[in-house]
PDB file of all heavy atoms in Angstrom:
ATOM      1  N   THR A 239    -169.373 119.671 103.254  1.00  0.00           N
ATOM      2  CA  THR A 239    -168.389 120.509 103.962  1.00  0.00           C
ATOM      3  C   THR A 239    -166.994 120.332 103.376  1.00  0.00           C
ATOM      4  O   THR A 239    -166.273 121.297 103.145  1.00  0.00           O
ATOM      5  CB  THR A 239    -168.374 120.144 105.459  1.00  0.00           C
ATOM      6  OG1 THR A 239    -169.687 120.321 105.989  1.00  0.00           O
ATOM      7  CG2 THR A 239    -167.386 121.026 106.216  1.00  0.00           C
ATOM      8  N   ARG A 240    -166.629 119.042 103.131  1.00  0.00           N
ATOM      9  CA  ARG A 240    -165.317 118.784 102.542  1.00  0.00           C
ATOM     10  C   ARG A 240    -165.195 119.426 101.166  1.00  0.00           C
ATOM     11  O   ARG A 240    -164.138 119.944 100.788  1.00  0.00           O
ATOM     12  CB  ARG A 240    -165.066 117.276 102.455  1.00  0.00           C
ATOM     13  CG  ARG A 240    -164.843 116.613 103.812  1.00  0.00           C
ATOM     14  CD  ARG A 240    -164.191 115.239 103.653  1.00  0.00           C
ATOM     15  NE  ARG A 240    -165.007 114.364 102.851  1.00  0.00           N
ATOM     16  CZ  ARG A 240    -165.949 113.558 103.337  1.00  0.00           C
ATOM     17  NH1 ARG A 240    -166.209 113.547 104.649  1.00  0.00           N
ATOM     18  NH2 ARG A 240    -166.642 112.753 102.541  1.00  0.00           N
ATOM     19  N   LYS A 241    -166.295 119.384 100.387  1.00  0.00           N
ATOM     20  CA  LYS A 241    -166.278 119.981  99.045  1.00  0.00           C
ATOM     21  C   LYS A 241    -166.075 121.484  99.129  1.00  0.00           C
ATOM     22  O   LYS A 241    -165.306 122.074  98.373  1.00  0.00           O
ATOM     23  CB  LYS A 241    -167.593 119.660  98.334  1.00  0.00           C
ATOM     24  CG  LYS A 241    -167.621 120.104  96.881  1.00  0.00           C
ATOM     25  CD  LYS A 241    -168.891 119.641  96.194  1.00  0.00           C
ATOM     26  CE  LYS A 241    -168.892 120.061  94.723  1.00  0.00           C
ATOM     27  NZ  LYS A 241    -170.141 119.639  94.040  1.00  0.00           N
ATOM     28  N   ILE A 242    -166.767 122.120 100.088  1.00  0.00           N
ATOM     29  CA  ILE A 242    -166.624 123.572 100.261  1.00  0.00           C
ATOM     30  C   ILE A 242    -165.192 123.913 100.658  1.00  0.00           C
ATOM     31  O   ILE A 242    -164.599 124.873 100.166  1.00  0.00           O
ATOM     32  CB  ILE A 242    -167.625 124.078 101.326  1.00  0.00           C
ATOM     33  CG1 ILE A 242    -169.060 123.983 100.781  1.00  0.00           C
ATOM     34  CG2 ILE A 242    -167.309 125.531 101.720  1.00  0.00           C
ATOM     35  CD1 ILE A 242    -170.124 124.235 101.840  1.00  0.00           C
ATOM     36  N   ILE A 243    -164.622 123.078 101.535  1.00  0.00           N
ATOM     37  CA  ILE A 243    -163.236 123.322 101.974  1.00  0.00           C
ATOM     38  C   ILE A 243    -162.274 123.218 100.786  1.00  0.00           C
ATOM     39  O   ILE A 243    -161.366 124.033 100.627  1.00  0.00           O
ATOM     40  CB  ILE A 243    -162.856 122.330 103.086  1.00  0.00           C
ATOM     41  CG1 ILE A 243    -163.633 122.651 104.367  1.00  0.00           C
ATOM     42  CG2 ILE A 243    -161.345 122.378 103.354  1.00  0.00           C
ATOM     43  CD1 ILE A 243    -163.452 121.627 105.466  1.00  0.00           C
ATOM     44  N   ARG A 244    -162.488 122.190  99.929  1.00  0.00           N
ATOM     45  CA  ARG A 244    -161.613 122.032  98.755  1.00  0.00           C
ATOM     46  C   ARG A 244    -161.717 123.227  97.832  1.00  0.00           C
ATOM     47  O   ARG A 244    -160.718 123.741  97.333  1.00  0.00           O
ATOM     48  CB  ARG A 244    -161.969 120.738  98.011  1.00  0.00           C
ATOM     49  CG  ARG A 244    -161.472 119.477  98.684  1.00  0.00           C
ATOM     50  CD  ARG A 244    -161.438 118.308  97.699  1.00  0.00           C
ATOM     51  NE  ARG A 244    -162.735 118.058  97.116  1.00  0.00           N
ATOM     52  CZ  ARG A 244    -163.625 117.214  97.633  1.00  0.00           C
ATOM     53  NH1 ARG A 244    -163.353 116.567  98.762  1.00  0.00           N
ATOM     54  NH2 ARG A 244    -164.793 117.022  97.045  1.00  0.00           N
ATOM     55  N   ILE A 245    -162.941 123.685  97.566  1.00  0.00           N
ATOM     56  CA  ILE A 245    -163.148 124.841  96.678  1.00  0.00           C
ATOM     57  C   ILE A 245    -162.486 126.073  97.268  1.00  0.00           C
ATOM     58  O   ILE A 245    -161.789 126.836  96.587  1.00  0.00           O
ATOM     59  CB  ILE A 245    -164.652 125.085  96.442  1.00  0.00           C
ATOM     60  CG1 ILE A 245    -165.248 123.920  95.646  1.00  0.00           C
ATOM     61  CG2 ILE A 245    -164.876 126.408  95.707  1.00  0.00           C
ATOM     62  CD1 ILE A 245    -166.762 123.970  95.516  1.00  0.00           C
ATOM     63  N   THR A 246    -162.705 126.266  98.593  1.00  0.00           N
ATOM     64  CA  THR A 246    -162.119 127.432  99.258  1.00  0.00           C
ATOM     65  C   THR A 246    -160.597 127.388  99.192  1.00  0.00           C
ATOM     66  O   THR A 246    -159.933 128.401  98.934  1.00  0.00           O
ATOM     67  CB  THR A 246    -162.569 127.481 100.729  1.00  0.00           C
ATOM     68  OG1 THR A 246    -163.994 127.477 100.783  1.00  0.00           O
ATOM     69  CG2 THR A 246    -162.035 128.729 101.415  1.00  0.00           C
ATOM     70  N   SER A 247    -160.013 126.190  99.394  1.00  0.00           N
ATOM     71  CA  SER A 247    -158.558 126.043  99.332  1.00  0.00           C
ATOM     72  C   SER A 247    -158.027 126.345  97.942  1.00  0.00           C
ATOM     73  O   SER A 247    -156.993 126.993  97.782  1.00  0.00           O
ATOM     74  CB  SER A 247    -158.162 124.620  99.743  1.00  0.00           C
ATOM     75  OG  SER A 247    -158.578 124.345 101.055  1.00  0.00           O
ATOM     76  N   THR A 248    -158.756 125.880  96.926  1.00  0.00           N
ATOM     77  CA  THR A 248    -158.339 126.116  95.541  1.00  0.00           C
ATOM     78  C   THR A 248    -158.361 127.598  95.219  1.00  0.00           C
ATOM     79  O   THR A 248    -157.426 128.145  94.621  1.00  0.00           O
ATOM     80  CB  THR A 248    -159.257 125.359  94.561  1.00  0.00           C
ATOM     81  OG1 THR A 248    -159.214 123.965  94.871  1.00  0.00           O
ATOM     82  CG2 THR A 248    -158.811 125.576  93.130  1.00  0.00           C
ATOM     83  N   VAL A 249    -159.449 128.272  95.626  1.00  0.00           N
ATOM     84  CA  VAL A 249    -159.561 129.720  95.377  1.00  0.00           C
ATOM     85  C   VAL A 249    -158.449 130.469  96.107  1.00  0.00           C
ATOM     86  O   VAL A 249    -157.823 131.387  95.562  1.00  0.00           O
ATOM     87  CB  VAL A 249    -160.948 130.227  95.814  1.00  0.00           C
ATOM     88  CG1 VAL A 249    -160.998 131.751  95.750  1.00  0.00           C
ATOM     89  CG2 VAL A 249    -162.034 129.621  94.944  1.00  0.00           C
ATOM     90  N   ALA A 250    -158.191 130.048  97.352  1.00  0.00           N
ATOM     91  CA  ALA A 250    -157.141 130.705  98.136  1.00  0.00           C
ATOM     92  C   ALA A 250    -155.771 130.519  97.492  1.00  0.00           C
ATOM     93  O   ALA A 250    -154.968 131.455  97.409  1.00  0.00           O
ATOM     94  CB  ALA A 250    -157.132 130.145  99.556  1.00  0.00           C
ATOM     95  N   ALA A 251    -155.493 129.285  97.000  1.00  0.00           N
ATOM     96  CA  ALA A 251    -154.210 129.021  96.348  1.00  0.00           C
ATOM     97  C   ALA A 251    -154.058 129.853  95.087  1.00  0.00           C
ATOM     98  O   ALA A 251    -152.989 130.409  94.815  1.00  0.00           O
ATOM     99  CB  ALA A 251    -154.096 127.529  96.010  1.00  0.00           C
ATOM    100  N   ALA A 252    -155.146 129.965  94.304  1.00  0.00           N
ATOM    101  CA  ALA A 252    -155.108 130.773  93.080  1.00  0.00           C
ATOM    102  C   ALA A 252    -154.859 132.227  93.413  1.00  0.00           C
ATOM    103  O   ALA A 252    -154.107 132.932  92.734  1.00  0.00           O
ATOM    104  CB  ALA A 252    -156.414 130.608  92.310  1.00  0.00           C
ATOM    105  N   PHE A 253    -155.503 132.705  94.494  1.00  0.00           N
ATOM    106  CA  PHE A 253    -155.324 134.094  94.911  1.00  0.00           C
ATOM    107  C   PHE A 253    -153.875 134.359  95.323  1.00  0.00           C
ATOM    108  O   PHE A 253    -153.284 135.372  94.948  1.00  0.00           O
ATOM    109  CB  PHE A 253    -156.268 134.408  96.075  1.00  0.00           C
ATOM    110  CG  PHE A 253    -156.065 135.778  96.659  1.00  0.00           C
ATOM    111  CD1 PHE A 253    -156.591 136.904  96.038  1.00  0.00           C
ATOM    112  CD2 PHE A 253    -155.314 135.948  97.816  1.00  0.00           C
ATOM    113  CE1 PHE A 253    -156.390 138.174  96.571  1.00  0.00           C
ATOM    114  CE2 PHE A 253    -155.104 137.205  98.350  1.00  0.00           C
ATOM    115  CZ  PHE A 253    -155.642 138.330  97.727  1.00  0.00           C
ATOM    116  N   ILE A 254    -153.320 133.432  96.103  1.00  0.00           N
ATOM    117  CA  ILE A 254    -151.934 133.587  96.565  1.00  0.00           C
ATOM    118  C   ILE A 254    -150.968 133.587  95.387  1.00  0.00           C
ATOM    119  O   ILE A 254    -150.049 134.405  95.312  1.00  0.00           O
ATOM    120  CB  ILE A 254    -151.570 132.466  97.559  1.00  0.00           C
ATOM    121  CG1 ILE A 254    -152.380 132.646  98.848  1.00  0.00           C
ATOM    122  CG2 ILE A 254    -150.076 132.464  97.870  1.00  0.00           C
ATOM    123  CD1 ILE A 254    -152.285 131.468  99.795  1.00  0.00           C
ATOM    124  N   LEU A 255    -151.185 132.651  94.415  1.00  0.00           N
ATOM    125  CA  LEU A 255    -150.322 132.588  93.236  1.00  0.00           C
ATOM    126  C   LEU A 255    -150.409 133.874  92.438  1.00  0.00           C
ATOM    127  O   LEU A 255    -149.393 134.441  92.011  1.00  0.00           O
ATOM    128  CB  LEU A 255    -150.724 131.397  92.364  1.00  0.00           C
ATOM    129  CG  LEU A 255    -149.932 131.197  91.070  1.00  0.00           C
ATOM    130  CD1 LEU A 255    -148.462 130.954  91.392  1.00  0.00           C
ATOM    131  CD2 LEU A 255    -150.495 130.041  90.264  1.00  0.00           C
ATOM    132  N   THR A 256    -151.634 134.370  92.246  1.00  0.00           N
ATOM    133  CA  THR A 256    -151.831 135.626  91.508  1.00  0.00           C
ATOM    134  C   THR A 256    -151.129 136.774  92.211  1.00  0.00           C
ATOM    135  O   THR A 256    -150.508 137.633  91.579  1.00  0.00           O
ATOM    136  CB  THR A 256    -153.338 135.930  91.371  1.00  0.00           C
ATOM    137  OG1 THR A 256    -153.974 134.842  90.719  1.00  0.00           O
ATOM    138  CG2 THR A 256    -153.563 137.207  90.575  1.00  0.00           C
ATOM    139  N   PHE A 257    -151.227 136.775  93.549  1.00  0.00           N
ATOM    140  CA  PHE A 257    -150.596 137.840  94.320  1.00  0.00           C
ATOM    141  C   PHE A 257    -149.083 137.862  94.112  1.00  0.00           C
ATOM    142  O   PHE A 257    -148.492 138.911  93.874  1.00  0.00           O
ATOM    143  CB  PHE A 257    -150.905 137.655  95.812  1.00  0.00           C
ATOM    144  CG  PHE A 257    -150.092 138.553  96.712  1.00  0.00           C
ATOM    145  CD1 PHE A 257    -150.416 139.892  96.853  1.00  0.00           C
ATOM    146  CD2 PHE A 257    -148.995 138.056  97.395  1.00  0.00           C
ATOM    147  CE1 PHE A 257    -149.655 140.721  97.673  1.00  0.00           C
ATOM    148  CE2 PHE A 257    -148.240 138.874  98.215  1.00  0.00           C
ATOM    149  CZ  PHE A 257    -148.567 140.210  98.359  1.00  0.00           C
ATOM    150  N   PHE A 258    -148.457 136.667  94.166  1.00  0.00           N
ATOM    151  CA  PHE A 258    -147.000 136.613  94.027  1.00  0.00           C
ATOM    152  C   PHE A 258    -146.562 136.941  92.608  1.00  0.00           C
ATOM    153  O   PHE A 258    -145.515 137.554  92.407  1.00  0.00           O
ATOM    154  CB  PHE A 258    -146.474 135.246  94.460  1.00  0.00           C
ATOM    155  CG  PHE A 258    -146.338 135.113  95.953  1.00  0.00           C
ATOM    156  CD1 PHE A 258    -147.217 134.328  96.678  1.00  0.00           C
ATOM    157  CD2 PHE A 258    -145.354 135.803  96.633  1.00  0.00           C
ATOM    158  CE1 PHE A 258    -147.097 134.218  98.054  1.00  0.00           C
ATOM    159  CE2 PHE A 258    -145.226 135.697  98.009  1.00  0.00           C
ATOM    160  CZ  PHE A 258    -146.105 134.901  98.730  1.00  0.00           C
ATOM    161  N   ILE A 259    -147.352 136.524  91.597  1.00  0.00           N
ATOM    162  CA  ILE A 259    -147.030 136.902  90.211  1.00  0.00           C
ATOM    163  C   ILE A 259    -147.103 138.414  90.051  1.00  0.00           C
ATOM    164  O   ILE A 259    -146.221 139.052  89.482  1.00  0.00           O
ATOM    165  CB  ILE A 259    -147.985 136.205  89.224  1.00  0.00           C
ATOM    166  CG1 ILE A 259    -147.719 134.701  89.200  1.00  0.00           C
ATOM    167  CG2 ILE A 259    -147.836 136.795  87.818  1.00  0.00           C
ATOM    168  CD1 ILE A 259    -148.709 133.912  88.368  1.00  0.00           C
ATOM    169  N   TYR A 260    -148.179 138.999  90.590  1.00  0.00           N
ATOM    170  CA  TYR A 260    -148.351 140.460  90.509  1.00  0.00           C
ATOM    171  C   TYR A 260    -147.216 141.164  91.243  1.00  0.00           C
ATOM    172  O   TYR A 260    -146.657 142.144  90.763  1.00  0.00           O
ATOM    173  CB  TYR A 260    -149.698 140.857  91.100  1.00  0.00           C
ATOM    174  CG  TYR A 260    -149.889 142.354  91.219  1.00  0.00           C
ATOM    175  CD1 TYR A 260    -150.223 143.115  90.110  1.00  0.00           C
ATOM    176  CD2 TYR A 260    -149.693 143.002  92.445  1.00  0.00           C
ATOM    177  CE1 TYR A 260    -150.376 144.496  90.209  1.00  0.00           C
ATOM    178  CE2 TYR A 260    -149.839 144.376  92.549  1.00  0.00           C
ATOM    179  CZ  TYR A 260    -150.191 145.114  91.428  1.00  0.00           C
ATOM    180  OH  TYR A 260    -150.330 146.464  91.529  1.00  0.00           O
ATOM    181  N   ARG A 261    -146.872 140.613  92.419  1.00  0.00           N
ATOM    182  CA  ARG A 261    -145.789 141.216  93.202  1.00  0.00           C
ATOM    183  C   ARG A 261    -144.468 141.143  92.457  1.00  0.00           C
ATOM    184  O   ARG A 261    -143.678 142.097  92.452  1.00  0.00           O
ATOM    185  CB  ARG A 261    -145.670 140.505  94.555  1.00  0.00           C
ATOM    186  CG  ARG A 261    -144.656 141.139  95.505  1.00  0.00           C
ATOM    187  CD  ARG A 261    -144.765 140.490  96.875  1.00  0.00           C
ATOM    188  NE  ARG A 261    -143.821 141.100  97.798  1.00  0.00           N
ATOM    189  CZ  ARG A 261    -142.584 140.683  97.968  1.00  0.00           C
ATOM    190  NH1 ARG A 261    -142.149 139.650  97.272  1.00  0.00           N
ATOM    191  NH2 ARG A 261    -141.787 141.282  98.838  1.00  0.00           N
ATOM    192  N   SER A 262    -144.227 139.978  91.794  1.00  0.00           N
ATOM    193  CA  SER A 262    -142.990 139.815  91.031  1.00  0.00           C
ATOM    194  C   SER A 262    -142.926 140.819  89.888  1.00  0.00           C
ATOM    195  O   SER A 262    -141.901 141.446  89.644  1.00  0.00           O
ATOM    196  CB  SER A 262    -142.908 138.391  90.479  1.00  0.00           C
ATOM    197  OG  SER A 262    -141.781 138.248  89.665  1.00  0.00           O
ATOM    198  N   ILE A 263    -144.063 140.970  89.170  1.00  0.00           N
ATOM    199  CA  ILE A 263    -144.107 141.937  88.063  1.00  0.00           C
ATOM    200  C   ILE A 263    -143.896 143.344  88.579  1.00  0.00           C
ATOM    201  O   ILE A 263    -143.170 144.150  87.997  1.00  0.00           O
ATOM    202  CB  ILE A 263    -145.455 141.821  87.319  1.00  0.00           C
ATOM    203  CG1 ILE A 263    -145.539 140.465  86.604  1.00  0.00           C
ATOM    204  CG2 ILE A 263    -145.624 142.947  86.304  1.00  0.00           C
ATOM    205  CD1 ILE A 263    -146.909 140.183  86.007  1.00  0.00           C
ATOM    206  N   SER A 264    -144.529 143.660  89.733  1.00  0.00           N
ATOM    207  CA  SER A 264    -144.395 144.994  90.311  1.00  0.00           C
ATOM    208  C   SER A 264    -142.963 145.276  90.710  1.00  0.00           C
ATOM    209  O   SER A 264    -142.437 146.366  90.485  1.00  0.00           O
ATOM    210  CB  SER A 264    -145.328 145.133  91.522  1.00  0.00           C
ATOM    211  OG  SER A 264    -146.676 144.962  91.144  1.00  0.00           O
ATOM    212  N   LEU A 265    -142.297 144.253  91.309  1.00  0.00           N
ATOM    213  CA  LEU A 265    -140.901 144.430  91.699  1.00  0.00           C
ATOM    214  C   LEU A 265    -140.023 144.649  90.481  1.00  0.00           C
ATOM    215  O   LEU A 265    -139.123 145.490  90.491  1.00  0.00           O
ATOM    216  CB  LEU A 265    -140.425 143.204  92.490  1.00  0.00           C
ATOM    217  CG  LEU A 265    -140.977 143.071  93.923  1.00  0.00           C
ATOM    218  CD1 LEU A 265    -140.551 141.761  94.523  1.00  0.00           C
ATOM    219  CD2 LEU A 265    -140.537 144.245  94.787  1.00  0.00           C
ATOM    220  N   ASN A 266    -140.275 143.874  89.395  1.00  0.00           N
ATOM    221  CA  ASN A 266    -139.514 144.053  88.159  1.00  0.00           C
ATOM    222  C   ASN A 266    -139.715 145.456  87.616  1.00  0.00           C
ATOM    223  O   ASN A 266    -138.782 146.094  87.123  1.00  0.00           O
ATOM    224  CB  ASN A 266    -139.923 143.019  87.121  1.00  0.00           C
ATOM    225  CG  ASN A 266    -139.179 141.713  87.307  1.00  0.00           C
ATOM    226  OD1 ASN A 266    -138.319 141.613  88.168  1.00  0.00           O
ATOM    227  ND2 ASN A 266    -139.506 140.719  86.525  1.00  0.00           N
ATOM    228  N   ALA A 267    -140.972 145.930  87.664  1.00  0.00           N
ATOM    229  CA  ALA A 267    -141.265 147.269  87.153  1.00  0.00           C
ATOM    230  C   ALA A 267    -140.539 148.323  87.970  1.00  0.00           C
ATOM    231  O   ALA A 267    -140.126 149.363  87.445  1.00  0.00           O
ATOM    232  CB  ALA A 267    -142.778 147.509  87.186  1.00  0.00           C
ATOM    233  N   ASP A 268    -140.367 148.050  89.286  1.00  0.00           N
ATOM    234  CA  ASP A 268    -139.655 148.998  90.148  1.00  0.00           C
ATOM    235  C   ASP A 268    -138.154 148.962  89.901  1.00  0.00           C
ATOM    236  O   ASP A 268    -137.478 149.980  90.030  1.00  0.00           O
ATOM    237  CB  ASP A 268    -139.940 148.684  91.619  1.00  0.00           C
ATOM    238  CG  ASP A 268    -141.387 148.987  92.001  1.00  0.00           C
ATOM    239  OD1 ASP A 268    -142.018 149.794  91.292  1.00  0.00           O
ATOM    240  OD2 ASP A 268    -141.876 148.411  92.990  1.00  0.00           O
ATOM    241  N   GLN A 269    -137.616 147.798  89.557  1.00  0.00           N
ATOM    242  CA  GLN A 269    -136.177 147.624  89.452  1.00  0.00           C
ATOM    243  C   GLN A 269    -135.633 147.841  88.044  1.00  0.00           C
ATOM    244  O   GLN A 269    -134.478 148.199  87.887  1.00  0.00           O
ATOM    245  CB  GLN A 269    -135.795 146.215  89.920  1.00  0.00           C
ATOM    246  CG  GLN A 269    -136.083 145.959  91.393  1.00  0.00           C
ATOM    247  CD  GLN A 269    -135.787 144.534  91.792  1.00  0.00           C
ATOM    248  OE1 GLN A 269    -135.257 143.763  90.999  1.00  0.00           O
ATOM    249  NE2 GLN A 269    -136.126 144.155  93.004  1.00  0.00           N
ATOM    250  N   TYR A 270    -136.452 147.596  87.025  1.00  0.00           N
ATOM    251  CA  TYR A 270    -135.955 147.609  85.656  1.00  0.00           C
ATOM    252  C   TYR A 270    -136.780 148.520  84.749  1.00  0.00           C
ATOM    253  O   TYR A 270    -137.988 148.659  84.919  1.00  0.00           O
ATOM    254  CB  TYR A 270    -135.998 146.196  85.049  1.00  0.00           C
ATOM    255  CG  TYR A 270    -135.179 145.170  85.779  1.00  0.00           C
ATOM    256  CD1 TYR A 270    -135.777 144.257  86.647  1.00  0.00           C
ATOM    257  CD2 TYR A 270    -133.796 145.091  85.605  1.00  0.00           C
ATOM    258  CE1 TYR A 270    -135.026 143.304  87.321  1.00  0.00           C
ATOM    259  CE2 TYR A 270    -133.049 144.144  86.275  1.00  0.00           C
ATOM    260  CZ  TYR A 270    -133.665 143.249  87.130  1.00  0.00           C
ATOM    261  OH  TYR A 270    -132.925 142.318  87.796  1.00  0.00           O
ATOM    262  N   ASP A 271    -136.078 149.108  83.797  1.00  0.00           N
ATOM    263  CA  ASP A 271    -136.737 149.703  82.634  1.00  0.00           C
ATOM    264  C   ASP A 271    -136.832 148.618  81.573  1.00  0.00           C
ATOM    265  O   ASP A 271    -135.846 147.920  81.294  1.00  0.00           O
ATOM    266  CB  ASP A 271    -135.933 150.895  82.094  1.00  0.00           C
ATOM    267  CG  ASP A 271    -136.059 152.117  82.996  1.00  0.00           C
ATOM    268  OD1 ASP A 271    -137.172 152.376  83.485  1.00  0.00           O
ATOM    269  OD2 ASP A 271    -135.046 152.801  83.211  1.00  0.00           O
TER     270      ASP A 271
END
Side-chain angles (χ1 to χ4, degrees):
T239 302
R240 290 197 301 270
K241 186 174 182 181
I242 291 170
I243 291 173
R244 284 199 302 269
I245 293 172
T246 304
S247 300
T248 302
V249 172
F253 175 79
I254 293 170
L255 179 61
T256 303
F257 169 77
F258 279 107
I259 291 174
Y260 173 78
R261 185 172 181 271
S262 176
I263 293 172
S264 299
L265 287 174
N266 276 357
D268 291 338
Q269 295 176 6
Y270 300 101
D271 286 319

